[in-house]
Amino acid sequence: MELNFRSDNESPAAPAIMAALAEANQGTAWAYAEDPLSERLDRAFSDLFDTPTTVVPVTTGTVANSIALACVTPPWGSIFCHRNAHIVNDEGGAPEFFGHGLRLVPVDGPEGKFTADDLERDISANEGHGIHAYVPSAVSLTQSTESGTVYQPEEISSVCTIATERGMATHLDGARFGNAIAALACHPADVSWKAGIQMMSFGASKNGCLAAEAILFFNCPDLRETAERHRKRSGHLLSKMRYVAAQLLAYIEDDLWLKLAAHANQQAARFSEAVAQHPEASLEYPVHANEVFVKWTAGGFSRLEKVGIQFLAWPGRDDLARFVFSHCTTVEETETLCVRLAESG
Amino acid sequence: MELNFRSDNESPAAPAIMAALAEANQGTAWAYAEDPLSERLDRAFSDLFDTPTTVVPVTTGTVANSIALACVTPPWGSIFCHRNAHIVNDEGGAPEFFGHGLRLVPVDGPEGKFTADDLERDISANEGHGIHAYVPSAVSLTQSTESGTVYQPEEISSVCTIATERGMATHLDGARFGNAIAALACHPADVSWKAGIQMMSFGASKNGCLAAEAILFFNCPDLRETAERHRKRSGHLLSKMRYVAAQLLAYIEDDLWLKLAAHANQQAARFSEAVAQHPEASLEYPVHANEVFVKWTAGGFSRLEKVGIQFLAWPGRDDLARFVFSHCTTVEETETLCVRLAESG
Amino acid sequence: MELNFRSDNESPAAPAIMAALAEANQGTAWAYAEDPLSERLDRAFSDLFDTPTTVVPVTTGTVANSIALACVTPPWGSIFCHRNAHIVNDEGGAPEFFGHGLRLVPVDGPEGKFTADDLERDISANEGHGIHAYVPSAVSLTQSTESGTVYQPEEISSVCTIATERGMATHLDGARFGNAIAALACHPADVSWKAGIQMMSFGASKNGCLAAEAILFFNCPDLRETAERHRKRSGHLLSKMRYVAAQLLAYIEDDLWLKLAAHANQQAARFSEAVAQHPEASLEYPVHANEVFVKWTAGGFSRLEKVGIQFLAWPGRDDLARFVFSHCTTVEETETLCVRLAESG
Amino acid sequence: MELNFRSDNESPAAPAIMAALAEANQGTAWAYAEDPLSERLDRAFSDLFDTPTTVVPVTTGTVANSIALACVTPPWGSIFCHRNAHIVNDEGGAPEFFGHGLRLVPVDGPEGKFTADDLERDISANEGHGIHAYVPSAVSLTQSTESGTVYQPEEISSVCTIATERGMATHLDGARFGNAIAALACHPADVSWKAGIQMMSFGASKNGCLAAEAILFFNCPDLRETAERHRKRSGHLLSKMRYVAAQLLAYIEDDLWLKLAAHANQQAARFSEAVAQHPEASLEYPVHANEVFVKWTAGGFSRLEKVGIQFLAWPGRDDLARFVFSHCTTVEETETLCVRLAESG
């Protein structure tokens, strides 16, 4: 039997989420986010983040990122983000589409992160072209990162300070925000608005939902109208938004999101130990959350595949693979993986 | 207790659809439409339509229409559609967004329909500007129409003939296609590809699903790549597409979609009789499917609202309202409506 | 010998404009509008209009209109203009391109004009769709109109009042503004900012220049940055902007623009008398400026063509043609036209 | 007196070009490129390049590049070009605007050039993301380059071979194509279509014209319609296109373009000798055409400025400056520059 560690994207929905859908499925409800569940979102997220929060729910992380960024970036504006960021590599041009031709500027930095200094260096390198150049307009950080690492609050804060000084907006791609918070054991506010983040994509689909993400604006309710216009004209305003709201509400109720994420992180930690003890394989990056990047030989990966382990061979690298753990990965599955890794040595 | 006849958009999902979601929610499945359910769609719809059909599933009718039209219309192309069409009035500029500035040209015609002659007249009226004008590129029909009427096969065929002669693409907005087929009691092919339609938005959300629509391309598989690129870059490629596929497959299995639609149509027919017998109120349009447009006095509508009936006051008209019946409207609810209408006389 | 009354677009440049180009062609000058001529534009037009005016020069009326409108209209905004407006019929989708999918809403009205009542009626007709509809964002008037008529100051003022009350921006397409001012014999301010117009396209190419138009912003200097960004990213920031500035400065110096326009208007007036006296032909619209719309038989027009008269057969009408008079139309040419019209009776 | 070596963009038009404008300014001519001069362009350029060539004239290099690239790149397509390319750094997002969100991928390589190997490496590095990534769609080379160097025919050919094998289109930004041909002393075909280039921006504004560039399509006349639609909807179809055509025809007549470019190149060569002999200053790149990049101390550049020499301090570098020579740089001016450089040592 195959064991799938390809992506948390491939997990089913958690039982509590399915139950919430069933519960939402009673009788009629006004369409287009005018239903009672949708109307509870602002308060629920304001409570969660401990600050006035404007919520615009959608169904994918790609659209969440793209709308948020389009709200603060003119078509002649540029967005600085890590070279490995999802918005650069995996969104098929969505940020550029919603932003009508805006430009993403990749910033290099180790372990999927970049620093305030990296940001300053790259902004400066693009200066001096005046009207002929893009205007630096926003910074986007990913938490947890595409390398499975996690930014500390002060790391985010220092990047946001540079951005804010230059009049740039600040965005967090939180596709795996639950994993980051579970890892940091901090309050969600500490790595978002308190650290200078103005808006974020709050991911839920990877961590237990079917299809639910929330664009969050912290203390800037004026952006709601713009975000909702983008959502409508991109076909993302479902008639039956109640089902998205139901997922999001259940997801954050009683810390479900953190429990699911903590479980996933624990499986990743267990596997990272197995990798560390392996004679040949090694960890490419520190393992902070639910992703483990393993450096190994092509032959090694091939042997692992043959014994039924599915993972993601990293594009452009035959010596690197990603293993992702999710809310539904069982302890037994993780153990089996560890055993098979050792046996494939 | 309020009774909601505002829109079929406001209905819950049908039990069979919820069951299909639960069934799909087993174990992991490859993301981004590479799961087994998604891979069954082409065959299932090819069987349903009796011709090779390429399926690109999405979650809203707006994006289904917009992607389909963007596949065949350059930014300098125009699309002819009825003045009341959803794409003109209710999609917040989505066709123009996906089409990068294409133009919709509204065509007038009675009862929500336009004829081949209407189309020819309006295309001709826009000619003679050469490079300075939009290029007529597509025609979009709505079935059933925004006025609750239904095109006969030969009506569609004659419009498509004109379009095809001029090299224009042909599109059907089938947000309520089930209601149309249930009303016509014809084969779905008769008012789609056999009548000259090249592609359509096959709606399911209004008639029993949570959020599921299918873009269908008949005998033009080449458009799949373009449609999928549009879907990805607009953030509409869900990671967990299996849940959309599950809805669509359950929806067309064993004629569920037609059974649900037929029920809705019957309720509409019952109410239309009540309207016809009313001393003051009258039918604005023939009732073919599941929508009833009632012409009455503002006072009349107001009395009906006061006894707990919800309906849609038509924008810009105080003497017109729309009542929509869905798969979940009970016979009792319809009877109550009829009684209250009579009592409000 | 053929005589060309097809369009003022087809006239050569006036001698004073050619002289200004030659004079500008001395030595080097800083590129991208940082030359001394370009830097004189704001003051020159502020003097001409008697109010602080921000000038963004370009080479075509299409781009002037499109940039101005894009500065004040979001992609989900609509612009109300006359059904015959150049922006609707003759700009190949440029407003929609620069505005990223904005929509033009044609307003009907006699003689190429619409009134405040017409505007109110059509704005209202589009209301009630909320987030699903375009947001009325701007009004664009054409002066002189596409029918060769001219708005009186109070007509413009009443339309602008409605627009302003609704928070809509106001734009004037002044492709033939010189002809309008020459006809009205009023101050340019009277039918622009004093009547409520916030920005305009000040045309010069049709009336003596090679390729020069100015986007004018009255008392709203904040829009300069946005307009200049649009100009750059659409490829309209010439490196050698000095040649556009030179044309514009010469054009408004010593009332050259009004002298050229007055001459053209006089020729149109002369021909309109000839039409009025003709037994069969008649005037379709009042002749206020330099365009004469003649209603006649297809046979009549054909006879006129055969004797070497070029004019524009109106698209979609075989009984209508347009004759345009320009700064270079000689009195002799006009007389010849009148004679040939009479002879073709 | 100041001497301006900032850019060839800042030169006046050559006398022959001004004469051609005056000559074109006779009588009326049909608008929108239907005049006799515009109609001569295809033949003239087909003769010049010795192959069937489709010409779409415009007024700036930015729009020439942007339209050409938009003709062959979908919104989800990427264009590979040098990191220093004008399209990346100096066009304010125009390629992304015309291309509706396409992406430019910068390729590194020494002296402003990149090789076939560089291209292959970078294309491969972006592979493996499937539907989530941009599709490599075109390659754009600059001739002469932004570093003042020139590609040899075989260098272009090897890059084009890689592109063609992968189904990518090939584009040449020839803003300074005249300088390249004058330097190479080869036939224009040798570094364009014979080397695998499908389309190019043929620059004239920097080398003697006021505002004239030609988009050239070699052996692919089908792209004319698309290019002309782009030109119209971006406001670049002048009504009086005859003046652009007149410049282009005069520019290539009797090898004027090559004579002007050769003169500029000679001045650059003379100055490069002076730099080479300087005790402190040095050449950053080989000098092939009309641009000289000088590496020196900030103090040295400052002394040169104080004696009235204008040049471009390179953005982001205080030890680098660009000196550009044009058709109008006199031998005396070049000598003065050389003397002042020596004196500023």
Side-chain angles (χ1 to χ4, degrees):
Chain A
M1 180 202 156
E2 299 275 314
L3 288 183
N4 181 347
F5 299 96
R6 291 164 35 98
S7 177
D8 36 7
N9 262 340
E10 309 199 336
S11 62
I17 300 299
M18 295 303 285
L21 281 183
E23 191 177 350
N25 197 48
Q26 308 299 323
T28 63
W30 283 25
Y32 301 118
E34 297 187 351
D35 64 274
L37 291 173
S38 296
E39 288 175 350
R40 282 176 47 200
L41 288 170
D42 276 15
R43 172 158 302 179
F45 277 87
S46 296
D47 287 349
L48 180 64
F49 278 86
D50 204 20
T51 200
T53 301
T54 302
V55 184
V56 180
V58 291
T59 53
T60 70
T62 292
V63 70
N65 289 334
S66 298
I67 288 180
L69 292 168
C71 284
V72 295
T73 311
W76 45 83
S78 58
I79 299 164
F80 288 73
C81 59
H82 195 276
R83 182 171 298 278
N84 295 343
H86 200 263
I87 55 175
V88 173
N89 295 305
D90 294 293
E91 301 195 343
E96 289 91 340
F97 178 44
F98 283 78
H100 301 119
L102 58 76
R103 183 179 291 178
L104 302 174
V105 181
V107 180
D108 287 307
E111 300 179 1
K113 301 201 263 187
F114 63 87
T115 65
D117 285 350
D118 295 329
L119 177 62
E120 282 228 282
R121 176 199 64 215
D122 283 11
I123 294 176
S124 299
N126 283 276
E127 282 177 336
H129 292 261
I131 191 76
H132 310 287
Y134 276 86
V135 181
S137 299
V139 172
S140 178
L141 295 167
T142 307
Q143 175 79 313
S144 60
T145 73
E146 294 292 330
S147 298
T149 54
V150 167
Y151 280 102
Q152 293 298 315
E154 60 273 16
E155 291 175 316
I156 292 180
S157 178
S158 64
V159 168
C160 288
T161 297
I162 298 299
T164 304
E165 283 172 7
R166 290 174 176 268
M168 297 163 75
T170 51
H171 169 258
L172 194 71
D173 176 354
R176 294 186 177 96
F177 191 65
N179 302 101
I181 299 302
L184 289 165
C186 69
H187 191 279
D190 294 341
V191 284
S192 56
W193 65 272
K194 283 188 179 170
I197 295 293
Q198 297 173 322
M199 54 189 184
M200 70 176 288
S201 305
F202 182 90
S205 302
K206 285 178 160 69
N207 186 34
C209 289
L210 286 83
E213 312 276 319
I215 309 171
L216 306 181
F217 297 102
F218 301 118
N219 304 302
C220 44
D222 291 356
L223 292 177
R224 183 200 298 276
E225 164 81 8
T226 302
E228 290 188 353
R229 290 282 167 188
H230 278 292
R231 181 175 64 175
K232 174 64 200 181
R233 79 191 282 258
S234 61
H236 279 283
L237 178 62
L238 304 189
S239 53
K240 301 182 178 178
M241 284 301 293
R242 59 167 140 168
Y243 298 106
V244 181
Q247 293 178 68
L248 289 170
L249 292 168
Y251 181 68
I252 62 172
E253 194 175 338
D254 292 335
D255 286 343
L256 175 64
W257 65 301
L258 294 176
K259 294 169 191 166
L260 296 172
H263 172 81
N265 288 1
Q266 286 156 12
Q267 307 314 307
R270 169 69 190 95
F271 178 57
S272 73
E273 290 163 18
V275 175
Q277 292 164 8
H278 193 275
E280 268 188 11
S282 63
L283 296 171
E284 177 84 356
Y285 307 118
V287 175
H288 294 162
N290 68 321
E291 298 182 285
V292 180
F293 285 79
V294 179
K295 189 170 178 179
W296 200 12
T297 59
F301 287 127
S302 176
R303 290 194 294 278
L304 201 54
E305 266 187 322
K306 284 192 186 122
V307 294
I309 303 297
Q310 297 184 353
F311 50 84
L312 186 68
W314 202 246
R317 295 275 300 270
D318 63 359
D319 65 338
L320 186 65
R322 189 188 69 173
F323 296 74
V324 191
F325 301 80
S326 82
H327 69 97
C328 81
T329 309
T330 64
V331 171
E332 293 70 32
E333 289 170 341
T334 306
E335 289 306 317
T336 302
L337 170 63
C338 294
V339 168
R340 294 195 184 160
L341 174 72
E343 293 172 350
S344 302
Chain B
M1 180 199 155
E2 299 277 312
L3 288 182
N4 182 346
F5 300 95
R6 292 164 35 98
S7 178
D8 35 8
N9 262 340
E10 309 200 335
S11 62
I17 300 299
M18 294 303 284
L21 280 183
E23 192 177 349
N25 198 48
Q26 307 300 322
T28 62
W30 283 25
Y32 301 118
E34 296 187 352
D35 64 275
L37 291 173
S38 296
E39 287 174 351
R40 283 176 46 200
L41 288 170
D42 276 15
R43 172 159 302 179
F45 277 87
S46 295
D47 287 349
L48 180 64
F49 279 86
D50 204 20
T51 200
T53 301
T54 302
V55 184
V56 179
V58 289
T59 53
T60 70
T62 292
V63 70
N65 288 334
S66 298
I67 287 180
L69 292 167
C71 284
V72 295
T73 312
W76 45 84
S78 58
I79 299 164
F80 288 72
C81 59
H82 195 275
R83 182 171 299 279
N84 295 345
H86 201 263
I87 55 174
V88 173
N89 295 306
D90 294 294
E91 301 195 344
E96 289 91 339
F97 178 43
F98 283 79
H100 301 120
L102 58 74
R103 185 179 289 178
L104 302 174
V105 181
V107 180
D108 287 308
E111 300 180 2
K113 301 201 262 185
F114 64 87
T115 65
D117 285 350
D118 295 328
L119 177 62
E120 283 228 282
R121 176 200 64 215
D122 283 11
I123 294 175
S124 299
N126 283 276
E127 281 177 337
H129 292 262
I131 191 76
H132 310 287
Y134 277 85
V135 181
S137 299
V139 172
S140 178
L141 295 167
T142 307
Q143 176 79 315
S144 60
T145 75
E146 294 291 331
S147 299
T149 54
V150 167
Y151 281 101
Q152 293 297 316
E154 60 274 17
E155 291 176 316
I156 292 180
S157 177
S158 65
V159 168
C160 289
T161 298
I162 297 298
T164 304
E165 284 172 5
R166 290 174 174 266
M168 297 163 74
T170 51
H171 170 256
L172 193 71
D173 177 355
R176 294 186 178 93
F177 191 65
N179 302 100
I181 299 302
L184 290 164
C186 69
H187 191 279
D190 295 340
V191 285
S192 55
W193 65 272
K194 283 188 180 171
I197 296 291
Q198 299 173 321
M199 55 189 183
M200 72 175 288
S201 305
F202 181 90
S205 302
K206 285 178 161 68
N207 186 35
C209 290
L210 286 84
E213 312 277 318
I215 309 170
L216 307 182
F217 297 102
F218 301 117
N219 304 302
C220 44
D222 291 356
L223 292 178
R224 185 200 297 274
E225 163 80 8
T226 300
E228 290 188 353
R229 291 281 168 190
H230 277 293
R231 181 175 63 173
K232 173 65 201 183
R233 80 191 281 258
S234 62
H236 279 284
L237 179 62
L238 304 189
S239 52
K240 303 183 178 178
M241 285 300 292
R242 59 169 140 168
Y243 298 106
V244 182
Q247 293 178 68
L248 290 170
L249 291 169
Y251 182 67
I252 61 173
E253 193 176 338
D254 292 335
D255 287 343
L256 174 64
W257 65 301
L258 295 176
K259 294 169 191 166
L260 296 172
H263 171 82
N265 289 0
Q266 286 155 13
Q267 307 313 308
R270 169 68 189 96
F271 178 57
S272 74
E273 291 163 17
V275 175
Q277 291 164 10
H278 192 274
E280 268 188 11
S282 63
L283 297 171
E284 177 83 355
Y285 308 118
V287 175
H288 295 162
N290 68 321
E291 297 181 287
V292 180
F293 286 79
V294 179
K295 190 170 177 179
W296 200 11
T297 59
F301 286 128
S302 175
R303 289 192 296 278
L304 201 53
E305 266 187 321
K306 283 190 186 123
V307 295
I309 303 298
Q310 298 184 353
F311 50 85
L312 186 69
W314 202 245
R317 293 276 301 270
D318 62 359
D319 66 338
L320 185 65
R322 188 189 70 172
F323 297 74
V324 191
F325 301 81
S326 82
H327 70 97
C328 81
T329 310
T330 64
V331 171
E332 293 70 32
E333 289 170 340
T334 306
E335 289 307 317
T336 303
L337 170 64
C338 293
V339 168
R340 293 194 186 163
L341 174 73
E343 293 173 351
S344 302
Chain C
M1 182 200 152
E2 297 277 311
L3 287 183
N4 181 347
F5 300 94
R6 292 163 36 98
S7 177
D8 35 8
N9 262 340
E10 308 199 336
S11 63
I17 300 298
M18 295 302 284
L21 281 182
E23 191 178 350
N25 198 48
Q26 307 300 321
T28 63
W30 283 25
Y32 301 118
E34 296 187 352
D35 64 275
L37 292 173
S38 295
E39 288 176 349
R40 282 175 46 199
L41 288 170
D42 275 15
R43 172 158 301 179
F45 276 87
S46 296
D47 287 349
L48 180 64
F49 278 85
D50 204 19
T51 201
T53 301
T54 301
V55 184
V56 180
V58 290
T59 52
T60 70
T62 293
V63 71
N65 289 334
S66 298
I67 288 180
L69 292 167
C71 284
V72 295
T73 312
W76 44 83
S78 58
I79 299 164
F80 288 72
C81 59
H82 195 275
R83 180 171 301 280
N84 295 344
H86 200 262
I87 56 175
V88 173
N89 296 305
D90 294 293
E91 301 195 344
E96 288 91 339
F97 178 43
F98 283 79
H100 300 119
L102 59 76
R103 185 178 290 177
L104 301 174
V105 181
V107 180
D108 287 307
E111 301 178 2
K113 301 201 263 185
F114 64 87
T115 67
D117 285 351
D118 294 328
L119 177 63
E120 282 227 283
R121 176 199 65 217
D122 283 13
I123 295 176
S124 300
N126 283 276
E127 281 177 337
H129 291 261
I131 191 76
H132 310 287
Y134 277 85
V135 181
S137 299
V139 172
S140 178
L141 295 167
T142 307
Q143 177 79 315
S144 61
T145 75
E146 294 291 332
S147 299
T149 54
V150 167
Y151 281 102
Q152 293 298 315
E154 59 274 16
E155 291 175 315
I156 293 180
S157 178
S158 64
V159 168
C160 288
T161 297
I162 298 298
T164 304
E165 283 172 7
R166 290 173 175 266
M168 298 164 74
T170 51
H171 170 256
L172 194 72
D173 177 354
R176 293 188 178 94
F177 191 65
N179 302 101
I181 300 302
L184 289 164
C186 69
H187 191 279
D190 294 342
V191 285
S192 56
W193 65 272
K194 282 188 179 169
I197 295 292
Q198 298 172 320
M199 56 191 183
M200 71 175 289
S201 306
F202 181 90
S205 303
K206 285 178 161 68
N207 186 34
C209 289
L210 285 84
E213 312 276 318
I215 310 170
L216 307 182
F217 297 102
F218 301 118
N219 305 301
C220 45
D222 291 357
L223 292 177
R224 183 201 298 276
E225 164 80 8
T226 302
E228 290 188 351
R229 290 281 168 189
H230 277 293
R231 182 176 63 175
K232 173 65 201 181
R233 81 190 280 256
S234 62
H236 279 284
L237 178 61
L238 304 189
S239 53
K240 302 183 178 177
M241 285 301 291
R242 60 169 141 168
Y243 298 106
V244 181
Q247 292 178 68
L248 290 170
L249 291 169
Y251 182 66
I252 62 174
E253 194 175 337
D254 292 335
D255 286 343
L256 175 64
W257 66 301
L258 295 176
K259 293 171 191 164
L260 296 172
H263 172 82
N265 289 1
Q266 285 156 11
Q267 307 313 306
R270 169 69 190 95
F271 178 57
S272 73
E273 290 163 18
V275 175
Q277 291 164 11
H278 192 275
E280 268 187 9
S282 63
L283 296 171
E284 178 82 354
Y285 307 119
V287 175
H288 294 162
N290 67 320
E291 298 181 285
V292 180
F293 286 80
V294 179
K295 191 170 178 179
W296 200 12
T297 59
F301 286 128
S302 175
R303 290 193 294 279
L304 201 52
E305 266 186 320
K306 282 190 189 127
V307 294
I309 303 297
Q310 298 184 353
F311 49 85
L312 185 70
W314 202 246
R317 292 275 302 271
D318 63 0
D319 65 338
L320 186 65
R322 189 188 70 172
F323 296 74
V324 191
F325 301 81
S326 81
H327 70 96
C328 81
T329 311
T330 65
V331 171
E332 292 70 31
E333 289 169 340
T334 307
E335 288 308 317
T336 302
L337 170 64
C338 293
V339 168
R340 293 194 186 162
L341 174 72
E343 292 172 351
S344 302
Chain D
M1 183 201 155
E2 299 277 313
L3 288 183
N4 181 346
F5 299 95
R6 291 162 38 95
S7 177
D8 35 7
N9 261 340
E10 308 199 336
S11 63
I17 300 299
M18 294 303 285
L21 281 182
E23 191 178 349
N25 198 47
Q26 308 299 322
T28 63
W30 282 27
Y32 300 118
E34 297 187 351
D35 64 274
L37 291 173
S38 296
E39 289 175 349
R40 283 176 46 201
L41 287 170
D42 275 14
R43 171 158 303 180
F45 276 88
S46 296
D47 288 348
L48 180 63
F49 278 85
D50 204 19
T51 200
T53 301
T54 301
V55 184
V56 179
V58 290
T59 53
T60 70
T62 292
V63 69
N65 288 334
S66 299
I67 288 180
L69 292 168
C71 284
V72 295
T73 311
W76 45 82
S78 58
I79 299 163
F80 288 72
C81 59
H82 195 275
R83 182 171 299 278
N84 295 345
H86 201 262
I87 55 175
V88 173
N89 295 305
D90 295 292
E91 302 194 343
E96 289 91 339
F97 178 44
F98 283 79
H100 301 119
L102 58 76
R103 185 179 291 177
L104 302 175
V105 180
V107 180
D108 287 307
E111 301 180 359
K113 301 201 262 186
F114 64 86
T115 66
D117 285 350
D118 295 328
L119 178 62
E120 283 227 282
R121 176 199 64 215
D122 283 12
I123 295 175
S124 299
N126 283 276
E127 281 178 335
H129 291 261
I131 191 77
H132 310 287
Y134 276 85
V135 181
S137 300
V139 172
S140 178
L141 295 167
T142 307
Q143 176 79 315
S144 60
T145 74
E146 294 291 333
S147 298
T149 54
V150 167
Y151 281 102
Q152 294 297 315
E154 60 274 18
E155 291 176 315
I156 293 179
S157 178
S158 64
V159 168
C160 289
T161 298
I162 298 299
T164 304
E165 283 172 8
R166 290 174 174 267
M168 297 164 74
T170 52
H171 169 256
L172 193 72
D173 177 355
R176 294 187 178 94
F177 191 65
N179 302 100
I181 299 302
L184 289 165
C186 70
H187 191 280
D190 294 341
V191 284
S192 56
W193 65 273
K194 283 189 178 170
I197 295 292
Q198 298 173 322
M199 55 190 184
M200 70 176 288
S201 305
F202 181 90
S205 302
K206 284 178 161 68
N207 186 33
C209 289
L210 285 83
E213 312 275 319
I215 309 171
L216 306 182
F217 297 102
F218 302 118
N219 305 302
C220 43
D222 290 358
L223 292 177
R224 183 200 299 276
E225 164 81 8
T226 301
E228 290 188 352
R229 290 283 169 188
H230 277 292
R231 181 174 64 174
K232 173 65 200 182
R233 80 192 281 256
S234 62
H236 279 284
L237 179 62
L238 305 189
S239 53
K240 302 182 178 179
M241 284 302 291
R242 58 168 141 168
Y243 298 106
V244 181
Q247 293 178 68
L248 289 170
L249 292 169
Y251 181 67
I252 62 173
E253 193 175 337
D254 293 333
D255 287 342
L256 175 64
W257 65 302
L258 294 176
K259 293 170 192 164
L260 296 172
H263 172 82
N265 289 2
Q266 286 155 11
Q267 306 314 307
R270 169 69 189 93
F271 179 57
S272 73
E273 290 163 18
V275 175
Q277 291 165 8
H278 193 274
E280 269 187 10
S282 63
L283 296 171
E284 177 82 355
Y285 307 119
V287 175
H288 295 162
N290 67 320
E291 297 182 286
V292 180
F293 286 78
V294 178
K295 191 170 176 181
W296 200 11
T297 59
F301 286 129
S302 175
R303 289 193 295 277
L304 201 52
E305 265 186 322
K306 283 191 187 125
V307 295
I309 302 297
Q310 297 184 354
F311 50 85
L312 186 69
W314 202 246
R317 294 275 301 270
D318 62 1
D319 65 337
L320 186 65
R322 189 188 70 173
F323 296 74
V324 191
F325 301 81
S326 82
H327 70 97
C328 82
T329 309
T330 63
V331 171
E332 292 71 31
E333 288 170 339
T334 306
E335 290 306 318
T336 302
L337 169 63
C338 293
V339 168
R340 293 193 186 163
L341 174 72
E343 293 172 350
S344 301

